[in-house]
Amino acid sequence: MLTFILRRLLIAVPTLLLISLAIFLLVDLAPGSPASQIPLTVPPEVKAKILAAMGADQPVLVRYVLWLKQFFWVEPAYWIDSRFGTNLADGAQRIISYQTRAPVFITIGERIPQTMTVVGAGYLIGILIAVPIGIYSAYRQYSWFDQAGTFFAMMGFSVPTFFTGVLLIVIFATKLHWFPSVYDTTLLVTDWSSFVAQIRQMVLPVTVLALFNAATISRYMRSSMLDNLGQDYVRTARAKGMGEGTVVLKHVLRNSLIPVVTVIALGIPSIFGGAIITEQVFKVNGLGAALITAINANDIPMVQTLTFIFAALIVLFNLVADVLYGVLDPRIRYA
Amino acid sequence: MYMRTLLLGAAGAMALATAAFAERGADGEVKVLYWQAPTTLNPYLSSGTKDVEAASLVLEPLAGFDDKGAIFPRLAESIPTVDNGGISQDMTTVTWKLKKDLKWSDGTPVTSADVAFTYQYCTDPNGGCAQAASYEGIKSIDTPDAETVVVTYTGPKPYPYAAFVSALAPIIQKAQFEKCIGAAAPTCTEQNFKPIGTGPFMVTDFKTGDVVQLEANPNYRDPAKPAFAKMTLKGGGDAEAAARAVMETGEYDYAWNTQINPDLQSQMSAAGKGHFVGGFGSLVERIEMNQFDPSPDLPEGERSTAKHPHPFLTDLKVRQALSMAIDRQALVDVGYGAAGKPTCDLVPAPEGYAANTTDCLKQDLEGAKKLLDEAGWKMGADGVREKDGKKLHILYQTSTNPVRQDIQTLVKGWWNEIGVGVDLKNIDASIYFGGDAGSPDTFEKFYADVEMYANNFNGTDPEAYMTQLLCSKIPGPDTQWQGENIPRFCDKDYDAKIAELSKTADLAKRQELVKELNNMVSAKGLVTMAIVHRGTLSAASNALDGVAINPWDTEIWNAQDWTRKK
């Protein structure tokens, strides 16, 4: 197992390097320029100087190598310095965003908490809704509950979040005034009333995301359960006189969860990626919103760093999913 | 003696009474929504309106413009003029005096050294200062004493109100930014995100691209202001959602730049929680008439250059016909509602500078047809006019934006009606305005017959704006397509008048000259065909008093005067 993990990690290094180059070239070759963010009232000479100060006028390969150095050497050095009070970085330039003219990791650090809370909660609640629905739908296949579950899943799949989000705002914020339409990132949970405020502002975005996530996962859960319910060992268990509860929740559920757990693990990087549309609709201003504004502003360092982190997380959670598979299913052995 | 004490006592009591009436911080919190969130609070590092305006709550210039466009002192004691001796007779030096006992929000005194430092900071060649244009033409800055700043220009400067004037050029604290000059500027995150200022508010927390939290500045020069103890300036979402948060849910007190379509405007106003406030600055949506031939048949490097004059847009009659065919009021109704007015002028404001031309406001399709007939353009079999085998066919480009596409469609319909063939093209704004010399689609390259965009000028003086149309500022391959004379307008008389303007200090005379220039290029010349005078449109809660939207400086210029309606 350990050699398997080590081998996979080693393979990940060239993979990630290749990904980083591909992203950099894609972002750079895409049309558009940070200059478009500078108002027309700024004369061309000044504009040229601004771009030079950003480093945006350098050739693409120079910028890529600089980014590699900053990402893999300078940024970790700053992190170690801040942790242990060393002076590894020695004032080297960090990755600077074109928009904020400040290190991109400051923005990322500020954005992670709200993304984790809102998108993470949406994912978690989505799973909690999806698993029971999937189990019962499969157990009572073609019952009215199964039909309703299928309908609900189809809704979640096919209605886009920008529609459900705005719909919920119009009903619950504009008309009923139950929940706020703007997420307050400055709210600190210190007592009961601020906790209630936090819950209230999370209700709408989390509902939208949970609905969307639950739709996918409940379908996986259902089909996996259906696969197992028809197996011989289920008949054997029943023949041995086991109660339906034990058969379904112990034998069938355990086996059916194996593929679902991998699906869930593979979905975790998408939490970090934020929910671009939902964050935008509810002004959560998490990582997803950071990515989309950076793309709009042609803020290459920010786009590059964020997408690369997402890529690294996807590679990592693929490995986690593979390992989990082996842990959950003793039949699988890694050579 | 007794009488005097009595009077003093009475005056003191009155001062106390007004202080009790309006007390600093008495009105709690005010919540402002900037849907494009500020990314930095140092306006010298970002030219974005969102950043400049958010910073204006904290950082102040020596003088600013009020909602009518009049200049007024902020940190300065008075506005220097030739009459009061503040500007020298030869117009090369300007002397500013700071107000007495000014303090930064940290309690230290504001001195002329801070002003001189600000100049130094922005003019460092490695800093990439976004507002460098404000400090152009300055030879030196002297500080004879702690309250006096003498600005010496390299030549006569009849209108010197750019340096240290308006939210674009505020004073920063020397002590705070001393180590942040030049290439070090982006390393000073703490300073750029939390500048120490003199304004009514000070930053307590800043999350870039998300939210700014501010508190009343305890050292603000007016002890009774601001009425709000706290301000939250939140970002995110879009214009429509921002308008809704003020006008329908009432979660916010003020939302910036809520340009939404006229139908939605009236629908939201009906909710009764807020109202839209608008002001008209100098922003004009225009259609530029390319004076050079953009034809793709020409070799690359010669398109839209002086080598080939445009085959028909150089003819005034054709331009007049194109202008007459447009119903500008209809464009306003469809695209802008309360945030637009039809105009024929490149300089539609401020008051004194505006030529107030009205010739173009009435659509006249028959007249347009007649003009084209006179110019020799005969109707062809396919409904497109032609002359000497040349078709009257136009490529009309602009940036991708729903309102602009609506306008394109309407204009195309009218032009088709008078026998002009039109192809429409829209280009993503990040490319169109991206200035990439390698791209064929930038608005500077102008590989089209006509193109549409909007532009304005900073402050209230249009001299620099009009100077953009000098013959020497035509973009071309030899300048990497940099240059601000987009329509490629070139007229010796115009250049001569610009030279005259740059030497004229008398306001009435300046205004007259600007009107003449305006007529040459737009109202009469129609090389820059102005179509809509665009305003700012923001949403204010009915529970907020004192909002006076300002199109000439920062929109929230008087946040210190805002109060909660009781």
Side-chain angles (χ1 to χ4, degrees):
Chain A
M1 178 80 104
L2 193 67
T3 45
F4 169 78
I5 295 176
L6 277 176
R7 206 173 62 215
R8 285 286 300 266
L9 282 175
L10 277 178
I11 297 172
V13 174
T15 315
L16 284 173
L17 275 177
L18 207 66
I19 291 175
S20 78
L21 181 66
I23 297 173
F24 204 94
L25 291 178
L26 269 178
V27 174
D28 192 80
L29 293 176
S33 145
S36 66
Q37 295 301 304
I38 303 172
L40 298 183
T41 46
V42 174
E45 316 82 73
V46 177
K47 206 178 274 188
K49 275 195 184 144
I50 296 174
L51 293 177
M54 286 173 176
D57 58 342
Q58 299 288 322
V60 59
L61 272 177
V62 174
R63 279 185 285 127
Y64 175 63
V65 174
L66 181 68
W67 178 85
L68 275 185
K69 180 193 154 204
Q70 287 170 337
F71 190 90
F72 290 105
W73 170 246
V74 182
E75 290 293 343
Y78 269 99
W79 185 79
I80 293 169
D81 289 352
S82 69
R83 274 296 161 103
F84 305 105
T86 50
N87 187 24
L88 287 172
D90 198 25
Q93 196 185 44
R94 304 179 61 178
I95 308 174
I96 301 284
S97 150
Y98 290 169
Q99 296 172 86
T100 66
R101 303 294 302 280
V104 295
F105 276 95
I106 290 187
T107 311
I108 295 174
E110 281 171 2
R111 297 305 178 93
I112 285 179
Q114 52 256 40
T115 291
M116 289 278 91
T117 337
V118 175
V119 187
Y123 199 63
L124 196 69
I125 292 175
I127 296 168
L128 292 180
I129 299 173
V131 170
I133 290 182
I135 297 171
Y136 199 74
S137 290
Y139 187 62
R140 292 263 182 265
Q141 199 185 4
Y142 305 131
S143 67
W144 70 265
F145 184 90
D146 184 28
Q147 305 289 5
T150 309
F151 175 73
F152 162 84
M154 286 306 143
M155 287 274 291
F157 269 134
S158 47
V159 184
T161 48
F162 63 79
F163 180 77
T164 38
V166 174
L167 188 72
L168 290 185
I169 286 184
V170 169
I171 298 175
F172 294 103
T174 311
K175 298 271 179 264
L176 297 173
H177 296 285
W178 288 359
F179 305 109
S181 71
V182 179
Y183 186 90
D184 178 6
T185 45
T186 61
L187 184 74
L188 289 175
V189 178
T190 49
D191 51 16
W192 180 247
S193 68
S194 59
F195 178 72
V196 172
Q198 175 66 18
I199 296 295
R200 279 188 63 215
Q201 69 172 347
M202 280 174 65
V203 169
L204 294 184
V206 168
T207 309
V208 169
L209 290 169
L211 185 72
F212 180 74
N213 289 322
T216 332
I217 298 167
S218 70
R219 297 314 282 173
Y220 276 114
M221 191 69 230
R222 179 178 177 273
S223 59
S224 174
M225 283 291 283
L226 282 178
D227 277 350
N228 278 293
L229 278 169
Q231 299 279 330
D232 290 343
Y233 73 85
V234 178
R235 202 184 326 149
T236 314
R238 283 188 177 133
K240 286 202 297 191
M242 279 177 177
E244 276 300 281
T246 327
V247 172
V248 175
L249 294 180
K250 227 170 171 180
H251 295 252
V252 181
L253 180 61
R254 274 200 183 173
N255 280 311
S256 317
L257 269 179
I258 296 169
V260 177
V261 166
T262 19
V263 167
I264 291 173
L266 286 175
I268 290 176
S270 71
I271 301 177
F272 290 87
I276 292 176
I277 291 159
T278 315
E279 286 187 7
Q280 196 80 350
V281 169
F282 293 96
K283 290 88 152 175
V284 177
N285 293 342
L287 288 172
L291 181 62
I292 196 75
T293 46
I295 292 172
N296 283 334
N298 288 290
D299 184 355
I300 298 173
M302 178 75 87
V303 176
Q304 166 74 9
T305 308
L306 278 173
T307 35
F308 182 73
I309 292 175
F310 301 156
L313 284 170
I314 290 170
V315 170
L316 180 74
F317 277 91
N318 262 301
L319 177 61
V320 169
D322 280 353
V323 172
L324 264 181
Y325 213 82
V327 173
L328 292 172
D329 191 344
R331 288 168 298 186
I332 290 169
R333 284 285 164 268
Y334 297 107
Chain B
M1 182 68 202
Y2 176 69
M3 189 64 190
R4 212 176 133 208
T5 328
L6 199 73
L7 277 175
L8 271 176
M14 268 172 72
L16 273 178
T18 47
F21 179 66
E23 199 184 330
R24 175 178 295 159
D27 283 353
E29 188 185 3
V30 60
K31 298 177 91 175
V32 178
L33 202 54
Y34 266 60
W35 57 270
Q36 282 181 17
T39 49
T40 177
L41 290 181
N42 182 348
Y44 291 118
L45 290 188
S46 167
S47 43
T49 312
K50 56 190 175 25
D51 306 314
V52 171
E53 298 208 348
S56 76
L57 295 164
V58 178
L59 297 170
E60 285 182 299
L62 294 180
F65 298 100
D66 67 13
D67 52 339
K68 304 281 179 292
I71 190 166
F72 73 101
R74 275 186 185 266
L75 299 183
E77 208 170 50
S78 60
I79 302 297
T81 60
V82 178
D83 292 338
N84 69 16
I87 300 179
S88 65
Q89 284 299 330
D90 64 354
M91 294 183 292
T92 53
T93 64
V94 179
T95 308
W96 294 90
K97 283 262 185 206
L98 289 173
K99 282 197 170 92
K100 296 256 178 290
D101 300 323
L102 277 178
K103 282 195 172 69
W104 294 103
S105 59
D106 63 1
T108 57
V110 180
T111 68
S112 54
D114 294 308
V115 181
F117 173 79
T118 302
Y119 164 74
Q120 226 185 355
Y121 178 87
C122 187
T123 48
D124 189 287
N126 299 318
C129 177
Q131 315 298 350
S134 297
Y135 297 102
E136 218 178 61
I138 294 181
K139 193 166 122 194
S140 66
I141 298 219
D142 299 302
T143 50
D145 63 57
E147 276 153 13
T148 312
V149 181
V150 182
V151 184
T152 310
Y153 289 91
T154 47
K157 191 94 174 170
Y159 185 89
Y161 308 122
F164 313 117
V165 176
S166 94
L168 295 170
I171 311 301
I172 53 175
Q173 193 192 38
K174 183 180 181 186
Q176 191 187 19
F177 280 93
E178 213 157 13
K179 292 199 172 67
C180 305
I181 271 197
T187 61
C188 292
T189 308
E190 178 70 19
Q191 288 87 336
N192 298 331
F193 283 5
K194 289 182 189 170
I196 294 169
T198 53
F201 292 95
M202 54 185 211
V203 193
T204 51
D205 189 30
F206 179 60
K207 289 194 168 82
T208 172
D210 178 16
V211 64
V212 193
Q213 283 181 289
L214 305 120
E215 237 172 55
N217 171 4
N219 290 307
Y220 187 59
R221 55 186 173 277
D222 186 337
K225 289 172 182 175
F228 288 103
K230 274 179 79 184
M231 179 187 277
T232 303
L233 199 138
K234 167 85 177 173
D238 53 39
E240 191 186 322
R244 189 178 292 125
V246 172
M247 306 287 290
E248 288 187 344
T249 68
E251 289 167 86
Y252 280 78
D253 294 305
Y254 188 87
W256 161 85
N257 193 12
T258 47
Q259 295 275 14
I260 50 175
N261 69 52
D263 285 347
L264 267 174
Q265 286 173 23
S266 47
Q267 197 184 318
M268 287 191 184
S269 302
K273 282 207 160 67
H275 55 279
F276 286 105
V277 286
F280 286 89
S282 55
L283 187 65
V284 169
E285 188 81 28
R286 79 283 299 278
I287 300 178
E288 305 277 20
M289 305 270 150
N290 200 339
Q291 296 302 292
F292 295 159
D293 193 355
S295 166
D297 305 333
L298 296 171
E300 189 58 41
E302 292 188 14
R303 296 176 71 183
S304 290
T305 64
K307 286 203 178 95
H308 307 277
H310 198 279
F312 52 83
L313 287 175
T314 42
D315 182 350
L316 179 63
K317 283 204 168 124
V318 174
R319 299 199 300 267
Q320 279 170 336
L322 292 175
S323 173
M324 282 161 87
I326 295 176
D327 181 352
R328 289 166 168 80
Q329 184 62 49
L331 298 181
V332 169
D333 295 340
V334 167
Y336 299 98
K341 289 194 281 202
T343 186
C344 316
D345 296 313
L346 175 62
V347 182
E351 201 83 52
Y353 290 98
N356 292 321
T357 317
T358 51
D359 313 349
C360 75
L361 297 185
K362 214 172 138 9
Q363 186 188 30
D364 182 4
L365 289 169
E366 290 314 310
K369 285 180 194 163
K370 220 156 101 201
L371 267 177
L372 289 176
D373 286 338
E374 277 171 30
W377 292 92
K378 298 277 167 283
M379 192 60 98
D382 54 353
V384 175
R385 288 171 190 266
E386 51 189 32
K387 179 175 158 184
D388 310 329
K390 179 88 195 159
K391 290 251 172 210
L392 193 53
H393 202 97
I394 284 177
L395 174 62
Y396 175 7
Q397 72 179 16
T398 189
S399 68
T400 309
N401 164 318
V403 173
R404 290 208 167 114
Q405 267 74 77
D406 283 350
I407 291 183
Q408 272 187 317
T409 315
L410 283 170
V411 171
K412 178 181 177 173
W414 293 320
W415 285 354
N416 283 343
E417 211 164 310
I418 62 168
V420 178
V422 182
D423 280 325
L424 299 182
K425 179 175 178 183
N426 66 73
I427 302 156
D428 189 86
S430 69
I431 301 163
Y432 190 53
F433 297 117
D436 177 4
S439 163
D441 288 328
T442 64
F443 84 112
E444 288 105 334
K445 238 177 194 172
F446 204 169
Y447 282 0
D449 300 293
V450 306
E451 69 180 355
M452 180 164 71
Y453 62 93
N455 198 359
N456 64 322
F457 51 90
N458 293 327
T460 55
D461 183 74
E463 183 186 330
Y465 189 54
M466 301 316 272
T467 307
Q468 295 176 352
L469 291 158
L470 287 177
C471 296
S472 59
K473 301 218 171 187
I474 294 177
D478 41 333
T479 56
Q480 293 300 305
W481 299 95
Q482 286 196 4
E484 296 152 303
N485 187 345
I486 304 301
R488 284 107 168 110
F489 171 80
C490 189
D491 183 339
K492 280 204 188 69
D493 293 345
Y494 186 93
D495 286 16
K497 281 205 163 50
I498 289 283
E500 198 185 332
L501 180 65
S502 71
K503 292 193 206 87
T504 310
D506 178 56
L507 185 66
K509 197 84 190 300
R510 288 178 74 81
Q511 294 177 336
E512 211 40 56
L513 276 168
V514 169
K515 282 182 202 168
E516 283 170 31
L517 293 167
N518 169 72
N519 290 345
M520 291 170 97
V521 68
S522 68
K524 302 275 180 279
L526 294 165
V527 172
T528 291
M529 201 169 85
I531 51 174
V532 178
H533 182 193
R534 285 172 52 187
T536 48
L537 190 73
S538 294
S541 160
N542 288 339
L544 191 65
D545 256 343
V547 172
I549 196 164
N550 183 341
W552 304 110
D553 201 335
T554 158
E555 185 174 314
I556 44 177
W557 66 296
N558 71 337
Q560 67 275 9
D561 301 329
W562 289 4
T563 54
R564 175 75 60 208
K565 200 171 274 178
K566 299 281 178 342

